[in-house]
Each structure stands twice: as structure tokens, then as C-alpha cells.
Amino acid sequence: MAAESLIGQILDGRFEILSLIGEGGMGAVYKARQISVDRPVAIKVLSKQLAGDAQWAQRFQNEARAASRLRHPNTIRIIDFGRAAGGQYFIAMELLEGRGVREVLAGEGALPPARVLRILTQACASLAEAHRAGILHRDIKPENLFLSTGEGQADFVKVVDFGIAKVANSGQLTGAGMVLGTPHYMSPEQAIGKPLDARSDVYSLGVVMYEMLAGGPPFSGNVAEVLQMQLFQDPPALPRAVPGDVQAIVLRALAKQPEQRFGSMEEFGGACLAVLQQLYPAEAGSGPRTALASLGQIQMSGTPGLLAAPGMPTPGGQPAPTAAAKLGAAAHAATLPTPKPDAAAVSPARFVPVGTPAPVAPPSSAPAPFAPPTSAPAPF
């Protein structure tokens, strides 16, 4: 069924489809009206082709179930999901007004560190709730961080698109050798199909943080090249204008070995908030503090020692940042550096990514990334 054919229809007897927001290889997103309460919503519909594939239909339903369990204000809100009489799998969600981080980067380039820290703090708060619910996102990238204008504050973050989320005890939905995700933002362990935990999402969000500060991701090339870089190559130095404490956070998040990264999104967010308050007190505001305080997992008073782990390189060869030197050693004295993966032990045959955004073209056998055009408000 062509995406345009749904416009003007009443989906599942409840949602009047008004217009097309965007479409991709997985399906389409529409602006719609929830008839019973007369409110605008976004409707995500799985393509007819994929709806006939049991695994893709199951992934789509897993996304709905995963996101519907989350209540954090920085997470996209799911209103309903199901399968319409016409066979369409759909998810109804809040309709967001604003721009995705990808669109912001395309229009503005590298962002000021204070703004990056505010965005990251909120994203960490959202993902921390997901992790505590046993949900890994597994596809964190700029397209999936949306800066909403409808919450009364600038850059109110909404984490969206749990399309390949892994829910604890949800079963195996990935074929042998298949790696789901986006190569530019994959953790090393995700790139070779190893078991994942919260620290994989930490790495992916670290790549997004790097990109927001530098104007581009740390690694570029074809799929195989990018995945090899994720495994074995250190990221290029960030611009020297980025404060050392901010660089230290990025380096910690991008450690090749999970043991050297932040152990949780609470720790990652706590480090971002601490540096934001220390370096940019006028910019800290109440938004990020409220987002993290709502989790009840970290103390908002004082600065957690979360910036640097022993054995980590200093940013761009600079001396260790002041905050990291004061706070990192005590909290992580027991952390030992570990070597990067052995290149001989990595099988290139396992590099089978699914859903790759520009500038990397997806394999011909994989569906195109599911994302709306940047010219229209969209949930992801």
C-alpha cells in the first residue's frame, strides 16, 4: 500500500489521517487526529512489505511495548498501538513540534558546549529510565534526539524511535551474523554482535556528543571502514575551544572497552550536569536538573567523580582537566585499563548493519533508515 493512500482514511476507526510527515524503508509517519478527544497525534505505520515479515512485525510491536512502558518527560509518549482491520501495524504517539538534532547540526554546525551539555543531560535522564526498565535503545543517533518547542523551554529533549530496542527477555530477533543499528554510532561490541548492556548506549550517545561538539562524527567511510574504526581507532581530537572537562566526558564515553566508560546513564548525565554547573552556571537552568532529579538516582548537590578513568588518554594530548583530576581518581581508582580488541579475532563476515543513515548508504538488502524529512515536525 502506498503511503499516500492512507491520507483521508480513518485508521482503526479512531485516527483520521491528515497528512504525510515522512517515510522510509520501514514505513511512514503521518499527522493524524485522534477522533475521540480531537487532538493531533503522530501515527507511525509499518510498511505493507515488512508487515508480512514476522520478525519485522515483531520488532515493530516490541518498539511500541518498550516505549509505552516509559514515562519520563524526555521520552516520546506512546498513546496507543495495534493492528488495524486493514492489516496495518501502527503506533500512535504525541506529535512533536521542533527539530531533530540532525537538522540542527545541518543548519548550525558544531554547537556550543553549554548547549551540548544541556541536551546530553536530558537524553541521559530519558535513557536511564529505559535502562532501569530493562530496555536498551541500540540506535541512538542525532535523528533520534528531538528538540521540542512545546514544553515551555528551549531545547527540551525527546528521545524517540525505539525501533530496534532490545527488551530484556524479549527473545532473539536477530539472525546469525546480523548486526542491527547505525555504523557511525555503534559501540565496538555492537559492531561485532556481542551481548550488550547499558554501556553500549553510553558509547552511542558519546558519539552523538562528539558530533555536536565537532560538527561531524568521529569516524567516516564505508560501512566496513567505519566499523573497523569503531573497534580499533581513537577518535580525532576535538576542537581546542572545547573545554578540557567536556572533552574528558566524551573520551570516557567513547572508551573502546565497556569497563572504561561510564557505568550507567545516571553517571554520564551526572558528569554532564556537574560540568555544566561548574563551567556554565548561568546556562544550567532548571531543565536538566529537574530531568535528572526526577530519576532519584544521583545527588544533585556536589560534583560526582565521573569524568576520567585511569588509563584513559587526555583530551587532544592536553593535561588532565582540573575537575577530572580532582574527582576521577577517587571514584575509579580500581578501574584498570584494558587492551583494544584483537584484530585477528574479529570476523569481517559479522559486519551486517541494518538501517544506515547518510553519509553511509545502507546495504541493498537492508531497509532504508526510518526517518521523516527535516522540513516537517516529526516524532523522530
Side-chain angles (χ1 to χ4, degrees):
M1 178 181 294
E4 291 78 3
S5 66
L6 288 182
I7 297 174
Q9 294 189 21
I10 305 298
L11 184 67
D12 202 38
R14 296 178 291 156
F15 302 101
E16 180 187 4
I17 305 299
L18 302 176
S19 61
L20 178 69
I21 293 176
E23 59 185 325
M26 285 185 66
V29 180
Y30 298 92
K31 180 178 180 179
R33 181 176 70 92
Q34 187 177 6
I35 298 172
S36 61
V37 291
D38 192 25
R39 67 173 168 183
V41 296
I43 300 287
K44 181 177 181 180
V45 180
L46 187 65
S47 73
K48 184 176 181 180
Q49 178 182 3
L50 293 181
D53 183 302
Q55 284 198 337
W56 279 106
Q58 187 62 54
R59 288 190 186 109
F60 190 79
Q61 293 177 81
N62 276 357
E63 172 187 2
R65 292 191 183 97
S68 66
R69 291 163 56 182
L70 305 177
R71 295 292 183 267
H72 196 274
N74 292 117
T75 303
I76 185 74
R77 182 165 57 91
I78 300 299
I79 297 169
D80 200 357
F81 64 93
R83 188 177 188 185
Q88 304 95 343
Y89 289 97
F90 70 92
I91 302 173
M93 63 194 84
E94 63 178 317
L95 180 67
L96 300 177
E97 299 290 338
R99 296 188 296 169
V101 168
R102 170 70 69 203
E103 182 182 357
V104 172
L105 289 172
E108 303 179 23
L111 305 180
R115 187 180 184 189
V116 172
L117 290 169
R118 284 181 58 87
I119 292 170
L120 261 288
T121 302
Q122 297 174 78
C124 287
S126 166
L127 291 164
E129 183 205 29
H131 291 169
R132 290 201 309 277
I135 299 168
L136 299 180
H137 192 288
R138 299 201 302 171
D139 197 24
I140 299 167
K141 53 189 176 183
E143 293 91 325
N144 290 337
L145 299 183
F146 196 88
L147 306 182
S148 174
T149 58
E151 302 292 338
Q153 71 178 64
D155 291 343
F156 190 91
V157 174
K158 289 283 189 176
V159 177
V160 303
D161 199 358
F162 286 75
I164 61 170
K166 172 66 174 178
V167 182
N169 303 319
S170 64
Q172 180 68 25
L173 288 175
T174 305
M178 178 180 289
V179 177
L180 292 174
T182 305
H184 280 99
Y185 306 95
M186 280 185 180
S187 66
E189 60 271 27
Q190 185 177 6
I192 56 175
K194 287 187 175 181
L196 306 181
D197 60 24
R199 295 168 297 182
S200 179
D201 279 352
V202 165
Y203 184 95
S204 298
L205 190 59
V207 177
V208 175
M209 186 177 187
Y210 181 105
E211 184 169 356
M212 287 193 287
L213 292 165
F219 307 122
S220 60
N222 62 39
V223 169
E225 290 170 344
V226 169
L227 292 176
Q228 289 283 350
M229 292 175 188
Q230 299 287 26
L231 285 163
F232 305 115
Q233 187 169 313
D234 292 328
L238 284 160
R240 294 188 65 85
V242 177
D245 288 345
V246 179
Q247 295 193 37
I249 292 175
V250 178
L251 286 176
R252 179 83 189 276
L254 292 182
K256 300 299 184 186
Q257 295 297 325
E259 296 80 7
Q260 290 188 331
R261 299 176 204 147
F262 297 105
S264 68
M265 282 294 174
E266 287 91 348
E267 291 186 0
F268 193 178
C272 290
L273 179 60
V275 173
L276 178 66
Q277 293 173 329
Q278 177 183 345
L279 299 183
Y280 310 101
E283 300 286 339
S286 62
R289 174 182 289 268
T290 300
L292 276 174
S294 68
L295 300 175
Q297 295 295 314
I298 63 175
Q299 292 182 347
M300 292 295 99
S301 60
T303 305
L306 302 168
L307 299 184
M312 290 295 296
T314 56
Q318 301 175 18
T322 301
K326 288 181 178 179
L327 304 167
H332 299 284
T335 304
L336 297 176
T338 51
K340 296 176 184 177
D342 181 1
V346 178
S347 170
R350 301 197 66 172
F351 295 158
V352 189
V354 174
T356 306
V360 176
S364 58
S365 61
F370 187 61
T374 57
S375 60
F380 57 94

